Amino acid sequence: MNINVLAGSLMTFGLLASQVCAYAQTSNSEESSYLIFHDTQQLTDNRPVDSTSVLDRHKNGSPGFNAKQLILPGALVAVGTFGVYNGAFRKLDQNIKNRMDDLRGNHFFRADDYIQYLPALTYLTFGSIGIKPKHSFKERVVVEATAYISMTALTNIGKYSFKEKRPDSNARNSFPSGHTATVFTSAELMREEYGLGIGIGAYTVAVSVAFLRLYNGRHWLNDIIAGAGVGILSARIGYWMLPLYQRWFKWNNPCSDIIVLSPAYNPTEHSFSINLACTF
């Protein structure tokens, strides 16, 4: 069973990675061709070349692959992986665990099981409460879906490859932290979509979840460091893939989405619900 899960995760991530690499290889050549075409057309029509305006129009589209965005998540994953085997780091892990055990005692706080999903929900719904997003609802849906598919694949690859033992049990699926990866994925999506101010709030939630994973004794320090890196990388993969989706589904023109959230109460079952309706 473990082999099947690992193989499926590798195949899923390999497919995503191949698409990102293909886009990275073609984006620069497409931009050059775009500029050459417009510059030649302007010269033929005896009009002055305005390469700045052409670049501005090109850059106003969705963000594509940028190798510099690999630095931060790559460093976090590398540090976390280093901690799996390094003796000094393992001592640091153990010291932090002991301090958390003393701080916590028998008073566990399991809110991390729930608030890990909060930024993911707000990423999709903030546009319906007057906070202007950079992309349409359908674009946010596919970005988030791609990000979480990537996160799930990367997390499972780590868990079934390293088989690190959890600090509170004999289960060998500690590295990297899935909760941390989940919440950091959506925190980075929030920062990219809504700006630094809202991003800081989302990252505050993410750091809180990471701390609670240590506080509740569920993970080592190196697990949450790598989980944060996996989450940030996964969010960026979602945005790197967006230009491809825009071409595949012909989303070149701006479109307006209508989203309606309506609460409902069922008196028979004494339950509340929220209905979501949207146009694409």
Side-chain angles (χ1 to χ4, degrees):
M1 178 64 180
N2 291 352
I3 295 177
N4 291 334
V5 173
L6 177 58
S9 299
L10 286 168
M11 291 176 63
T12 302
F13 182 69
L15 178 61
L16 289 168
S18 65
Q19 296 298 327
V20 172
C21 291
Y23 175 74
Q25 291 174 354
T26 59
S27 60
N28 289 336
S29 61
E30 288 179 354
E31 181 176 344
S32 299
S33 300
Y34 184 83
L35 293 175
I36 291 172
F37 171 78
H38 281 269
D39 289 353
T40 303
Q41 187 178 39
Q42 286 178 329
L43 288 172
T44 303
D45 297 339
N46 294 321
R47 290 182 286 121
V49 176
D50 187 4
S51 59
T52 302
S53 62
V54 175
L55 281 172
D56 289 342
R57 288 194 297 271
H58 182 74
K59 290 179 180 178
N60 283 337
S62 299
F65 177 79
N66 185 347
K68 292 181 180 179
Q69 291 184 323
L70 291 169
I71 296 175
L72 176 59
L76 292 172
V77 172
V79 170
T81 305
F82 176 75
V84 175
Y85 300 108
N86 181 262
F89 207 113
R90 299 308 294 178
K91 290 182 180 179
L92 175 62
D93 279 340
Q94 188 63 51
N95 289 336
I96 292 177
K97 177 188 180 301
N98 293 339
R99 293 193 177 189
M100 290 297 172
D101 289 344
D102 294 337
L103 176 66
R104 179 190 70 246
N106 293 323
H107 303 286
F108 293 90
F109 188 62
R110 303 295 189 184
D112 49 324
D113 290 335
Y114 307 101
I115 63 175
Q116 62 172 317
Y117 302 112
L118 179 60
L121 177 63
T122 56
Y123 174 74
L124 293 178
T125 58
F126 262 22
S128 64
I129 60 174
I131 300 176
K132 187 175 181 180
K134 293 180 181 178
H135 300 90
S136 66
F137 181 76
K138 62 188 174 186
E139 289 173 329
R140 298 199 303 277
V141 168
V142 297
V143 166
E144 187 169 64
T146 302
Y148 276 102
I149 290 172
S150 303
M151 183 274 296
T152 301
L154 289 170
T155 301
N156 282 326
I157 288 171
K159 288 183 179 296
Y160 290 104
S161 298
F162 291 92
K163 298 185 180 297
E164 184 184 44
K165 185 178 177 181
R166 285 187 180 268
D168 64 341
S169 70
N170 290 323
R172 292 191 170 274
N173 60 351
S174 189
F175 178 88
S177 168
H179 282 60
T180 306
T182 297
V183 72
F184 270 82
T185 297
S186 49
E188 177 62 13
L189 290 175
M190 290 288 288
R191 184 199 66 79
E192 177 65 37
E193 189 68 27
Y194 298 102
L196 181 60
I198 292 178
I200 290 174
Y203 267 98
T204 301
V205 175
V207 171
S208 299
V209 170
F211 172 78
L212 286 175
R213 300 310 284 167
L214 294 175
Y215 176 84
N216 290 317
R218 294 293 291 158
H219 281 287
W220 307 103
L221 175 63
N222 68 290
D223 298 340
I224 66 169
I225 292 175
V230 168
I232 294 171
L233 176 61
S234 300
R236 293 179 179 177
I237 289 174
Y239 277 107
W240 291 339
M241 290 291 293
L242 181 56
L244 289 177
Y245 297 141
Q246 290 170 329
R247 289 205 293 268
W248 291 343
F249 302 115
K250 302 185 185 303
W251 292 343
N252 296 324
N253 296 324
C255 58
S256 59
D257 299 321
I258 300 176
I259 305 173
V260 178
L261 292 174
S262 59
Y265 174 71
N266 187 332
T268 304
E269 299 181 358
H270 303 287
S271 62
F272 287 94
S273 64
I274 297 179
N275 300 315
L276 171 66
C278 61
T279 61
F280 290 89

